[in-house]
Amino acid sequence: MSNLVKLSFCIACFVASFSALSESTQVSLLKVIVDPERYDGKVIKVTGLLLRSQRRNPVYLYYGEDAARSGRQLETILLYNLTDRDNAILEDGRHYEVEGEFDVGCRSRLEPGAKFIIEYLGCIDPVLSIRNSTNGTYRYKREVSLFPPLPPPFKKD
């Protein structure tokens, strides 16, 4: 009887260890910024401010509004392979919780033998899930430029 209990306990531990490996880890984006190598190749869930450079791609996930304002690339994660359905529902300036495999420096995107380094923190590729995590109606709005365009020169008659 005791051997049967030991065997079933070992099987349960074995199954639990594999299920723990397949689950994603909820992690603060700040922790990923501080130690990105720790999360390289792992499936993680992070929350950040989503902005796009154009209507569809690329899609950037920032740590916060300050990083978005200053354009600090080392606090930015690129999101790759978003489905058309995901792209249709995403709104700029909202916080999203993104789940996917993290790649430090987007190394998997570099061609073999490439000698340059992408200056972003990393990328999430593929994106497994994405959901809005903004409470209420809050939305970050991009600021107006500090230096507006110059007026046209006056014509002298």
Side-chain angles (χ1 to χ4, degrees), residues 20-33 35-48 61 77-79 96-104 121-130:
L21 289 176
S22 65
E23 293 176 6
S24 63
T25 305
Q26 177 76 38
V27 63
S28 164
L29 188 50
L30 186 58
K31 287 184 179 180
V32 176
I33 290 168
D35 189 11
E37 284 80 19
R38 179 177 181 186
Y39 303 100
D40 189 28
K42 294 182 180 173
V43 176
I44 61 171
K45 261 188 208 175
V46 292
T47 301
L61 194 67
I77 294 179
L78 277 73
L79 306 180
Y96 284 87
E97 181 182 80
V98 180
E99 179 181 12
E101 185 176 334
F102 181 68
D103 180 15
V104 175
L121 177 66
C123 58
I124 293 183
D125 182 18
V127 173
L128 302 175
S129 71
I130 186 165

Side-chain angles (χ1 to χ4, degrees), residues 12-88:
C13 289
F14 183 74
V15 170
S17 67
F18 276 105
S19 66
L21 289 176
S22 65
E23 293 176 6
S24 63
T25 305
Q26 177 76 38
V27 63
S28 164
L29 188 50
L30 186 58
K31 287 184 179 180
V32 176
I33 290 168
V34 171
D35 189 11
E37 284 80 19
R38 179 177 181 186
Y39 303 100
D40 189 28
K42 294 182 180 173
V43 176
I44 61 171
K45 261 188 208 175
V46 292
T47 301
L49 180 67
L50 185 132
L51 293 173
R52 306 180 223 217
S53 65
Q54 298 169 354
R55 179 66 191 116
R56 292 176 58 90
N57 289 320
V59 178
Y60 303 104
L61 194 67
Y62 290 93
Y63 172 65
E65 294 176 13
D66 185 47
R69 255 186 236 112
S70 65
R72 289 192 296 257
Q73 295 175 332
L74 293 177
E75 294 181 15
T76 306
I77 294 179
L78 277 73
L79 306 180
Y80 281 108
N81 294 334
L82 290 173
T83 64
D84 289 337
R85 184 178 151 271
D86 285 339
N87 260 320

Side-chain angles (χ1 to χ4, degrees), residues 102-121:
F102 181 68
D103 180 15
V104 175
C106 302
R107 292 186 198 125
S108 65
R109 290 275 172 188
L110 296 177
E111 297 293 325
K115 296 186 180 182
F116 67 92
I117 297 172
I118 296 177
E119 294 184 9
Y120 295 101
L121 177 66

